[in-house]
């Protein structure tokens, strides 16, 4: 992947990504959490987005028909760069039930103004970390970034072409 430095292990040789089993445990633990926390965790796990990108999501960025979530890339040097990440129907159904996407999209502003999660970065990080602890995931991979790295590794292991993984991340 051109221009991307992606380290799978830290300086001590510890893995920085969640394995398939850890991702499953994380999602299972999220099932027992508050609805908003569950939908946030699912979004991170199934899209590989950055925590700040998830926090910027509004209803109009969830395409229920196209089955994608559209993120504005916040690490680029300019605004207005978007990427669409396909997600399973379960994620879309959860987002619809928890956040009332269809209703928000039909509203006056088309769902553009209200963020799906009202938290700041620190609160969102704490919510994810709590779910990691509940899932008994410890180590450098037990973080939102570990979910992002795990998404990329899982996509490559599933045979997704590298150029698509790069676009999604």
């Amino acid at each position: 992947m051109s221009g991307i430095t992606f380290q799978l292990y830290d300086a001590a040789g510890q893995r920085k990504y969640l394995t398939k089993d850890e991702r499953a445990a994380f999602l299972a633990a999220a099932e027992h959490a508050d609805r908003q926390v569950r939908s946030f965790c699912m979004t991170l796990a199934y899209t590989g987005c950055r925590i700040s990108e998830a926090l910027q999501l509004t209803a109009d960025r969830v395409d229920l028909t196209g089955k994608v979530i559209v993120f504005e890339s916040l690490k680029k040097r300019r605004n207005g760069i978007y990427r669409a990440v396909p997600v399973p129907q379960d994620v879309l159904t959860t987002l619809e039930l928890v956040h009332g996407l269809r209703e928000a999209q039909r509203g006056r502003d088309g769902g553009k103004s209200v963020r799906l999660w009202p938290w700041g970065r620190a609160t969102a990080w704490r919510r994810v970390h709590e779910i990691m602890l509940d899932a008994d995931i410890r180590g450098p991979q037990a973080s939102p970034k570990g979910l992002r790295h795990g998404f990329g590794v899982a996509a490559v292991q599933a045979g997704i072409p590298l150029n698509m993984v790069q676009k999604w991340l």
Side-chain angles (χ1 to χ4, degrees):
M1 294 192 270
S2 64
I4 295 179
T5 57
F6 198 118
Q7 298 294 323
L8 296 177
Y9 295 89
D10 68 10
Q14 292 187 294
R15 184 173 34 83
K16 295 193 318 186
Y17 62 91
L18 269 67
T19 64
K20 180 180 178 181
D21 290 342
E22 287 171 332
R23 289 177 76 219
F26 174 79
L27 290 166
E31 284 295 319
H32 303 289
D34 172 82
R35 298 166 9 130
Q36 293 243 344
V37 172
R38 180 174 59 247
S39 67
F40 187 73
C41 289
M42 288 179 78
T43 300
L44 292 177
Y46 284 106
T47 66
C49 69
R50 293 175 178 90
I51 199 168
S52 55
E53 292 169 339
L55 290 172
Q56 294 302 312
L57 272 182
T58 54
D60 67 314
R61 297 278 180 233
V62 181
D63 183 346
L64 296 168
T65 306
K67 296 185 179 184
V68 296
I69 298 177
V70 179
F71 294 98
E72 182 171 10
S73 296
L74 299 178
K75 285 282 202 161
K76 302 295 181 184
R77 296 184 193 269
R78 59 186 175 8
N79 294 336
I81 297 175
Y82 297 91
R83 67 185 191 282
V85 181
V87 292
Q89 184 61 49
D90 287 355
V91 175
L92 297 171
T93 300
T94 298
L95 290 172
E96 164 57 20
L97 290 172
V98 173
H99 303 282
L101 298 178
R102 291 182 203 280
E103 186 69 30
Q105 290 171 353
R106 283 193 298 263
R108 255 191 291 155
D109 68 355
K112 294 178 183 174
S113 65
V114 179
R115 295 182 346 199
L116 298 185
W117 299 280
W119 315 319
R121 269 182 66 79
T123 299
W125 194 95
R126 274 194 310 275
R127 300 289 183 265
V128 172
H129 187 68
E130 289 165 1
I131 300 301
M132 291 286 183
L133 293 176
D134 290 347
D136 199 29
I137 302 169
R138 308 260 189 297
Q141 75 275 24
S143 68
K145 198 168 208 174
L147 284 166
R148 180 172 168 77
H149 288 253
F151 171 84
V153 169
V156 169
Q157 289 174 337
I160 304 295
L162 286 176
N163 66 325
M164 290 306 299
V165 176
Q166 183 179 16
K167 284 181 185 180
W168 295 343
L169 290 173

